[in-house]
Amino acid sequence: MLKAALFDLDGVVFDTEPQYTEFWGEQCREFRPDISGLEHIIKGQTLIQIYDKYFDNADVRDKITSRLDNFEQQMTFDYITGFVPFLNDLREHSIKTAVVTSSNISKMQSVYRQHPEFKSLFDAILTSEDFEYSKPHPDCYLKAAARFGVDSASCVVFEDSINGLKSGNAANMCVIGLATTNAAEVISHLSDYVISDYSHMTFKKIERIMSHSR
């Protein structure tokens, strides 16, 4: 049944969400104090879409972009516990694997510098440049499935943000929610199964989850 596993990046592959929440919290309080909790609302959106919807001042955009570039050069990318062994288990069972992220290519260069092995872990890496629409639209996950030539019923999506979980559901894929950004009870209604990390995840467990998913 399972043919492809599709992973968001931040909060799913890497434990980076606390860093981004802090960064965007500072920007939002400075430039959009009128919207409380905006740093949580924008999760899963591309930088362009965040700017188009919430930051229409060109000077503010330039300032945030410069800060973000510097921030991503210095941030750490630590794998979520158990991720690499789980990914290897999937690949040993000939499951296609892909990163499907709203991050752009520039940000991914920082990932590659810290983790030279990263590209070799996946069969495909899709970034914001590959998508016409951002999460919660299903475009990104449908494009990933098309890249592998598989249908939605054969895919499992791993997501942490509300927009990402909605995207996986809209693509009619099995959705595994990671309680890294939001509490389990917040994302459970959007997930077929919720985990805190990959410590107990295996290929066989995913197949069991998929066989009972809605």
Side-chain angles (χ1 to χ4, degrees), residues 51 57-69:
Y51 283 168
N57 182 288
D59 290 336
V60 169
R61 292 183 182 191
D62 289 343
K63 185 172 289 187
I64 294 176
T65 299
S66 177
R67 292 176 180 178
L68 182 60
D69 287 342

Side-chain angles (χ1 to χ4, degrees), residues 48-162:
I48 291 174
Q49 289 175 324
I50 292 170
Y51 283 168
D52 286 346
K53 191 169 184 178
Y54 299 107
F55 301 94
D56 57 3
N57 182 288
D59 290 336
V60 169
R61 292 183 182 191
D62 289 343
K63 185 172 289 187
I64 294 176
T65 299
S66 177
R67 292 176 180 178
L68 182 60
D69 287 342
N70 291 332
F71 171 78
E72 289 180 338
Q73 294 291 324
Q74 301 170 24
M75 68 185 297
T76 59
F77 297 97
D78 297 323
Y79 286 112
I80 299 287
T81 300
F83 174 74
V84 174
F86 172 58
L87 193 72
N88 290 336
D89 183 37
L90 292 176
R91 301 194 71 183
E92 286 172 4
H93 287 87
S94 300
I95 304 304
K96 294 293 186 181
T97 59
V99 167
V100 183
T101 178
S102 299
S103 299
N104 57 27
I105 291 175
S106 176
K107 186 268 190 68
M108 294 308 297
Q109 296 304 319
S110 298
V111 172
Y112 303 149
R113 281 192 293 273
Q114 279 197 39
H115 292 280
E117 81 288 352
F118 191 81
K119 289 183 180 180
S120 67
L121 295 177
F122 301 92
D123 297 294
I125 297 175
L126 286 75
T127 62
S128 62
E129 290 83 0
D130 295 306
F131 314 130
E132 185 176 355
Y133 305 102
S134 184
K135 303 168 185 177
H137 195 282
D139 180 51
C140 58
Y141 284 115
L142 295 176
K143 280 187 167 63
R147 177 78 63 93
F148 294 142
V150 300
D151 59 20
S152 294
S154 301
C155 297
V156 60
V157 166
F158 293 84
E159 272 285 1
D160 64 314
S161 70
I162 299 299

